[in-house]
Amino acid sequence: MNLNEKRWNENYLEEMLLLTSQNLPLVKVEDNYTIVKELGSGSYGHVLLAMNQSRGNLMALKFMQKNNTDLKVFLIEYCLSLCLSTHPCIIDTFGIAFQTERHYVFAQELAHDNLFSLMKPQAGVPENSVKRCAIQLSSALDYMHKKGLVHRDIKPENILIFDKECRQIKLTDFGLSCRSGTPLESMPENLPYTAPEMCRLGASDKLIAHTSLDTWSFGVLLFSTLTGYFPWTSALISDKHYVEYTKWQRSKRIFQVPSQWKMFSKEAIEMLTKLIVPDPAKRYPCTEVLKCLKVPWKVTLDNTKNTNSNVFKNKNLAWR
């Protein structure tokens, strides 16, 4: 990280947090916006499609409940989103933030849907579309990582799409984002995208945030979008698919390829296993995918049907 990036981290963001906290108006939503429909919801609150009554433009309003969201948490997510939105592969966040009696709210651009909507069980997403996603998402993550920031929640629901061919995608949801070097506590649940060092954390343990957390999630996301199933349910020794993968990794991949990896070309396996490395110190940066774009990532398997049990049977498995 150079001096300018460090200064951006330590000074610019803090100034934005202070100024925003001092200028967060109390607004009645119905006086300024016409709510069209709900776009999504979660433990944080919900996202609504709304039209600005004075300008007539549509936008996504993210509502975060005050009773379970600290003001500083809201401010960090909003200010990070606003700062990072200068990158073309990160969702555009408008300079609109306010509070209601029960919510903190900020506005973002409207997308067509998210990447999960394209993922078909046992089929995934067409390879060309996945490669387009890989190029754009690696660029967005590289941009964050060079600023010393870790996203920490890379999953298909947080990749917004603007067309079904993924010619334009954008990274969103910075609610868990933090500076690299921040002590982290364990999460309430482990997703297939969660790195093993996070999965192993006990209730009283701490882990220092590093960009390698995103690299692992990025690699698992590519695997899942290409195949239509998860490589494992969680990266723990209690998961047979994860144990099979780690044994294969430790053997320098001289043994038979695990069944859930057989549809990948040798070049794709080389790329993915550089990202999905159990040892975080040995993971390659996300931009490693750029070296593998001109070769096929999948091979045709004749008379072979994958019976992996980690297909997308339940969408909630990929939601937090």
Side-chain angles (χ1 to χ4, degrees):
M1 184 189 304
N2 63 36
L3 183 60
N4 287 335
E5 288 163 344
K6 185 175 182 180
R7 187 179 296 118
W8 183 94
N9 256 345
E10 295 178 352
N11 298 328
Y12 186 61
L13 186 59
E14 294 300 329
E15 291 174 4
M16 281 195 68
L17 291 173
L18 179 61
L19 288 172
T20 307
S21 66
Q22 295 173 343
N23 296 277
L24 196 65
L26 183 64
V27 171
K28 287 187 177 181
V29 175
E30 61 273 18
D31 290 344
N32 297 274
Y33 301 91
T34 299
I35 303 301
V36 180
K37 64 177 181 178
E38 182 176 89
L39 297 173
S41 62
S43 58
Y44 61 87
H46 51 278
V47 179
L48 301 179
L49 171 60
M51 183 183 73
N52 185 304
Q53 293 175 359
S54 61
R55 299 180 183 179
N57 59 315
L58 292 172
M59 59 184 64
L61 291 180
K62 184 168 185 177
F63 288 73
M64 302 170 69
Q65 298 171 356
K66 286 183 175 180
N67 59 3
N68 60 12
T69 303
D70 184 79
L71 174 59
K72 186 171 183 179
V73 171
F74 166 77
L75 291 172
I76 289 174
E77 179 173 356
Y78 168 65
C79 291
L80 272 179
S81 301
L82 193 61
C83 292
L84 294 172
S85 64
T86 55
H87 191 281
C89 301
I90 293 178
I91 195 69
D92 192 8
T93 298
F94 306 140
I96 299 174
F98 58 89
Q99 60 182 313
T100 69
E101 291 185 358
R102 294 188 297 173
H103 295 91
Y104 299 116
V105 187
F106 70 92
Q108 294 182 310
E109 71 176 313
L110 196 60
H112 172 75
D113 212 327
N114 62 52
L115 183 58
F116 194 91
S117 68
L118 301 180
M119 296 169 69
K120 298 179 180 179
Q122 297 285 16
V125 177
E127 182 174 322
N128 284 340
S129 295
V130 177
K131 285 181 174 178
R132 293 186 192 110
C133 286
I135 294 169
Q136 295 172 80
L137 184 54
S138 66
S139 177
L141 288 173
D142 185 54
Y143 181 72
M144 286 191 68
H145 294 168
K146 285 180 176 177
K147 291 185 178 297
L149 299 171
V150 186
H151 187 279
R152 293 186 57 218
D153 202 15
I154 302 300
K155 56 186 181 182
E157 293 83 354
N158 289 339
I159 313 301
L160 298 182
I161 61 173
F162 290 77
D163 60 273
K164 292 185 178 181
E165 291 74 36
C166 299
R167 298 185 187 282
Q168 183 182 30
I169 65 104
K170 294 193 179 187
L171 178 62
T172 191
D173 199 338
F174 302 93
L176 293 180
S177 299
C178 66
R179 291 191 180 102
S180 183
T182 301
L184 303 176
E185 298 178 352
S186 62
M187 299 296 293
E189 61 178 333
N190 295 315
L191 300 179
Y193 312 100
T194 307
E197 60 269 28
M198 279 296 299
C199 291
R200 292 193 299 264
L201 275 185
S204 60
D205 296 333
K206 299 282 187 181
L207 175 74
I208 300 303
H210 191 270
T211 56
S212 59
L213 292 171
D214 289 343
T215 300
W216 176 278
S217 301
F218 178 58
V220 175
L221 181 143
L222 292 180
F223 179 106
S224 302
T225 52
L226 283 165
T227 62
Y229 55 84
F230 301 114
W232 40 72
T233 301
S234 59
L236 291 167
I237 58 173
S238 57
D239 189 298
K240 67 177 183 179
H241 292 293
Y242 178 67
V243 171
E244 184 182 22
Y245 173 74
T246 57
K247 288 181 178 178
W248 180 53
Q249 274 261 328
R250 287 198 300 271
S251 73
K252 305 297 183 183
R253 304 195 299 280
I254 62 174
F255 297 136
Q256 185 177 9
V257 177
S259 58
Q260 63 268 38
W261 288 75
K262 287 184 177 180
M263 72 294 307
F264 294 121
S265 67
K266 64 178 182 179
E267 293 88 356
I269 287 176
E270 185 70 23
M271 174 195 71
L272 289 170
T273 53
K274 286 179 178 178
L275 302 173
I276 312 173
V277 185
D279 183 352
K282 295 180 180 179
R283 287 175 206 152
Y284 281 63
C286 296
T287 50
E288 184 67 19
V289 299
L290 302 179
K291 301 176 183 178
C292 196
L293 295 174
K294 295 182 179 180
V295 297
W297 285 3
K298 295 176 71 175
V299 295
T300 302
L301 299 179
D302 295 329
N303 301 319
T304 302
K305 183 178 180 181
N306 192 289
T307 56
N308 192 286
S309 61
N310 297 325
V311 296
F312 306 131
K313 295 177 181 177
N314 185 351
K315 184 177 180 180
N316 291 328
L317 182 62
W319 280 78
R320 177 166 301 148

